[in-house]
Amino acid sequence: ELEEGIEQGQFKVYFQPVVDAMTGKIASAESLIRWFYPEKGFISPGVFIPALEESGHISELDLYVLDSVNEFQKKRYQSDKITVPVSTNLSWMDFYDETIMNWLEKKCADASMPSGLCRMEITETSYAAIEADRNATLEALREAGILLLLDDFGSGYSSLNVLKDIDIDVLKIDMRFLSKGSSEERGEKILEAVIKMAKSLDMLVIAEGVEEEKQVKMLKRLGCDYIQGYYFAKPMPKKDYVKLLQKSR
């Protein structure tokens, strides 16, 4: 039912703002997909995304999201409206999809759009799953003007090898490792070390999953560049995101 769902507009692209840690203004956003099924209502991405990956159809949905975001960004930029970078999540399968790879290298290198608006997020798991010439593949994307974000760092068994082996522009640190019950003092020290390490490797840092004011204060103190999370804004429909973007300026 994927193709039918896309044709009927059941899939909606949502946006979650990423704010500048110092100013609180929207600096960028992450695009996320939501499925509103006519009979069943809202279906969680945690349900349909793994199913699409398992069946090998995730790239069809990812291409739809890429097209939607690109169209949105282009219209805003050409209308002289506030336009900030928007990142899109890539599955490891996308790197084996010729249509998506060609789309990325062509669309994101479009001279009619400023460089830097196009951003792609990959997880450490996705990077590990790209077996052949993965660094060459990622470098080709960067040459097309795409900024690369390493997503969910700290949420699983993150390895420092991935930071050594891959050229990443932005490191996204998952705040879940500071969950209740863990040592806040130890967690803060680890967080500080990771931020310093990222800075020494010329990476920007986004802390995601931020929900509390005390987390915001700590991240500012530690020198984190950007913050994403429910404390500032939940993922929202395009019309609400546009309104918030206008207010942010």
Side-chain angles (χ1 to χ4, degrees):
E1 298 175 60
L2 173 65
E3 187 175 347
E4 182 182 357
I6 290 176
E7 290 177 354
Q8 294 181 358
Q10 296 173 14
F11 289 94
K12 305 292 184 184
V13 176
Y14 273 42
F15 297 84
Q16 185 173 29
V18 176
V19 306
D20 185 295
M22 292 298 110
T23 66
K25 292 184 177 180
I26 297 175
S28 63
E30 178 183 358
S31 61
L32 300 156
I33 193 68
R34 299 291 184 261
W35 189 4
F36 297 92
Y37 194 85
E39 287 79 25
K40 299 177 183 178
F42 174 75
I43 300 177
S44 169
V47 173
F48 69 81
I49 288 179
L52 289 173
E53 288 181 328
E54 187 175 342
S55 63
H57 291 285
I58 189 66
S59 294
E60 296 171 45
L61 183 61
D62 287 347
L63 186 58
Y64 169 75
V65 176
L66 287 167
D67 268 326
S68 300
V69 171
N70 182 69
E71 190 67 23
F72 169 72
Q73 291 285 79
K74 201 165 190 175
K75 282 183 178 178
R76 288 193 63 80
Y77 180 73
Q78 292 178 347
S79 301
D80 291 324
K81 295 179 179 178
I82 298 168
T83 312
V84 299
V86 175
S87 63
T88 303
N89 294 276
L90 294 181
S91 164
W92 68 269
M93 291 183 182
D94 295 337
F95 292 92
Y96 293 98
D97 188 291
E98 188 175 343
T99 301
I100 284 189
M101 289 295 104
N102 289 338
W103 187 100
L104 289 170
E105 292 188 30
K106 180 181 178 181
K107 295 281 188 176
C108 291
D110 187 350
S112 68
M113 292 272 283
S115 178
L117 285 182
C118 200
R119 297 183 172 188
M120 299 297 140
E121 298 195 17
I122 63 170
T123 63
E124 184 179 353
T125 304
S126 293
Y127 175 72
I130 308 168
E131 296 178 355
D133 299 323
R134 54 191 176 191
N135 284 340
T137 301
L138 295 178
E139 188 55 37
L141 296 182
R142 295 183 86 211
E143 288 176 1
I146 298 171
L147 267 71
L148 298 177
L149 289 71
L150 184 63
D151 193 18
D152 290 341
F153 190 81
S155 64
Y157 295 96
S158 298
S159 168
L160 295 181
N161 277 335
V162 73
L163 298 184
K164 173 177 67 70
D165 295 338
I166 182 176
D167 247 344
I168 287 292
D169 301 293
V170 183
L171 185 67
K172 295 190 75 173
I173 302 174
D174 195 307
M175 293 296 288
R176 281 179 290 182
F177 82 90
L178 287 179
S179 59
K180 293 179 181 178
S182 61
S183 170
E184 288 190 10
E185 184 179 351
R186 289 173 65 87
E188 184 174 335
K189 287 180 179 178
I190 293 171
L191 189 59
E192 182 178 17
V194 171
I195 291 173
K196 285 182 178 179
M197 178 178 61
K199 295 293 185 71
S200 71
L201 294 171
D202 296 322
M203 298 177 187
L204 295 170
V205 178
I206 297 174
E208 60 180 337
V210 177
E211 299 180 353
E212 301 174 3
E213 185 178 6
K214 66 177 182 179
Q215 291 178 326
V216 174
K217 291 180 178 179
M218 176 185 65
L219 289 165
K220 287 182 179 181
R221 187 172 68 251
L222 298 181
C224 184
D225 300 297
Y226 304 103
I227 300 173
Q228 178 181 354
Y230 282 18
Y231 179 82
F232 288 103
K234 296 180 179 181
M236 61 189 71
K238 179 170 62 178
K239 62 177 183 178
D240 295 333
Y241 168 66
V242 168
K243 290 178 183 177
L244 194 63
L245 191 59
Q246 294 295 137
K247 288 181 180 178
S248 177
R249 301 295 162 169

